[in-house]
Amino acid sequence: MKILFVASEVYPLVKTGGLADVVGALPVALSATNDVKVLLPAYEGLMGMLSDCRAGPILGNPFGYGEMRLVFGRLEGGSIEFWLLDCPNLFHRQGGPYLNEDGHDHADNHRRFAALSWAGAVVTQYGSLMNWRPDIVHAHDWQTGLLPAYLRAWSQRHPPVVYTIHNMQFTGAYTHDQYLETGLPESLFNMYGLEYYGRYSMLKAGIQYSDAVTTVSPTYAKEIQTPAYGCGLDALMRDQKHKISGILNGVDYQVWNPATDELIDHHYCLRDMDGKALNKQALQKKLGLRIEPRKPLLGLISRLSEQKGLDLVLQVLPDYLEQGAQLILLGSGEKSLESAFRALSGRFPDQVSANFGYNEPLAHQIQSASDFLLVPSRFEPCGLTQLYALKYGTLPIVRRTGGLADSVWEDISGRPQTGFVFNDATVHELWHALQRAMGAYENERVFRQLREQAMQQDFSWESSAAQYTSLYKRLIT
Ligand code: ADP
């Protein structure tokens, strides 16, 4: 099959969260038996990261923001061909893919990602432009939601579109005036189309006009059909439930494997865990924590946002810090959470290390050094950090929601315990989950067994890729 992926971030080229990890790894898993291309914006500096860059077709200047063209390239030694959408006016910016240097949305995000969606639709529709017409298109999150809307508006035969929701909270909602810039017809702007409480939503467009909708875990696929998790789209999700499925993300074990990880100091594996203890010691030293081989070290790697339940951590943790536990946090996002964690580290300077900004090596080092990883999310479509933690023998402490519920087991019959799971996002429940975790830590034999069970879990991409493949095949035939 020829499969076109369209997304706004791809590891290792550009990453702000789990979406990039998925779009970096799933095409590689699929490429064993398929021909996969990945279309993404040519953000500033991206072309320089690819080798063998060659010019592709010019797509024109349909919106008046400057000429758009494609550039093809690969990562050194990589199997996937990337198609970069080059339009300097839209994509050459200071800051990140969505936010400017001050942390605010780029003012023209509605244009930038309409352009990405439009280019994806053009490539899909007019494959003869590059001698390659996809059999299936796989678009991701709100940034590409208008892709199937353009195809619908042009109303010609086109390959099926699979649309994956990585996070329902980001609806990509903009005003009617901004809609007028997309070139889409007024006839789609209604409640049976992409209208969303008086505005339009790119996410809603993706759901309405694609042939199948997937989300990144079976539990989240059910949750988003309820008012509590549906972000105002739950009625639509219930209405469309015949085309929704949940496929759990996998892990790229080439990147996340303590036996081979190039970003950690000491390698280790199930049979030889010495490296993990050495990593703990090395990271405690590097970050100025007290060197304590026998005190529980908690890791936390997260966007700092309401979603992630970090306010609960701030309330519960002091109790455990007073008993000698340690915390290493790596996060970026809301300034108020940043200051709260900075204050916590001021109060417990040799037990709490608060690190802000984006730091890929440190994320790996925390996974390799910690005894536990905290993921107390209010909602979590899939969550990747807990999957990485399992492989690194770092027991996840998670809330029973979304992909966390589908990947970490405590008290589930027939499943070996691999972490600590609590039901409600309350201080009380998190406190008790930590209590159980600390109890297990005290008992060396129990702790070792839990660690082994965690490390034996296999969340590689093969099984998820097989589920996507059968979905693609069903749509094509
Ligand atoms: P989300 O996509 O909601 O942010 P996920 O758990 O699905 O959450 O994916 C988070 C990804 O981003 C993981 O690969 C994690 O290691 C990484 N990550 C999160 N915050 C940081 C950070 N500050 N520095 C480096 N990596 C981070």
Side-chain angles (χ1 to χ4, degrees), residues 289-449:
L289 297 182
R290 214 163 39 225
I291 300 195
E292 292 275 21
R294 283 298 308 140
K295 294 284 182 202
L297 175 61
L298 297 146
L300 212 173
I301 304 160
S302 181
R303 282 186 293 115
L304 302 179
S305 85
E306 149 91 13
Q307 171 193 340
K308 301 290 183 176
L310 304 178
D311 49 318
L312 302 175
V313 173
L314 285 161
Q315 293 179 72
V316 168
L317 216 58
D319 265 7
Y320 291 96
L321 295 170
E322 270 155 21
Q323 295 166 35
Q326 299 188 337
L327 170 74
I328 301 179
L329 162 89
L330 170 62
S332 62
E334 281 169 26
K335 297 290 169 223
S336 57
L337 284 166
E338 233 180 66
S339 358
F341 277 104
R342 203 171 275 120
L344 190 67
S345 122
R347 204 173 135 197
F348 297 92
D350 50 9
Q351 286 170 265
V352 175
S353 165
N355 305 274
F356 304 110
Y358 186 82
N359 188 334
E360 190 76 24
L362 185 55
H364 287 244
Q365 287 151 19
I366 294 174
Q367 292 279 13
S368 77
S370 305
D371 300 301
F372 300 98
L373 188 84
L374 281 166
V375 199
S377 308
R378 293 210 150 70
F379 69 92
E380 194 58 76
C382 175
L384 291 170
T385 55
Q386 86 282 6
L387 300 179
Y388 304 152
L390 291 168
K391 183 73 179 172
Y392 283 70
T394 303
L395 300 180
I397 300 171
V398 306
R399 186 168 162 245
R400 196 184 309 281
T401 184
L404 301 172
D406 294 337
S407 60
V408 181
W409 330 124
E410 182 185 13
D411 277 341
I412 298 181
S413 69
R415 302 270 196 192
Q417 184 178 353
T418 56
F420 300 88
V421 186
F422 61 100
N423 286 322
D424 297 326
T426 62
V427 166
H428 175 80
E429 291 235 0
L430 176 58
W431 191 91
H432 279 284
L434 272 161
Q435 187 72 0
R436 298 196 296 281
M438 297 303 123
Y441 186 80
E442 289 306 313
N443 184 329
E444 217 168 290
R445 190 188 53 79
V446 168
F447 189 66
R448 192 173 337 110
Q449 189 186 346

Side-chain angles (χ1 to χ4, degrees), residues 24 37 51 57 90 103 126 139 152 165 207 218 245 253 296 298 329 355 375 398:
K37 317 277 187 206
S51 52
L90 292 178
Y126 307 104
R152 169 66 63 98
I165 302 170
I207 297 164
S245 56
Y253 289 127
L298 297 146
L329 162 89
N355 305 274
V375 199
V398 306

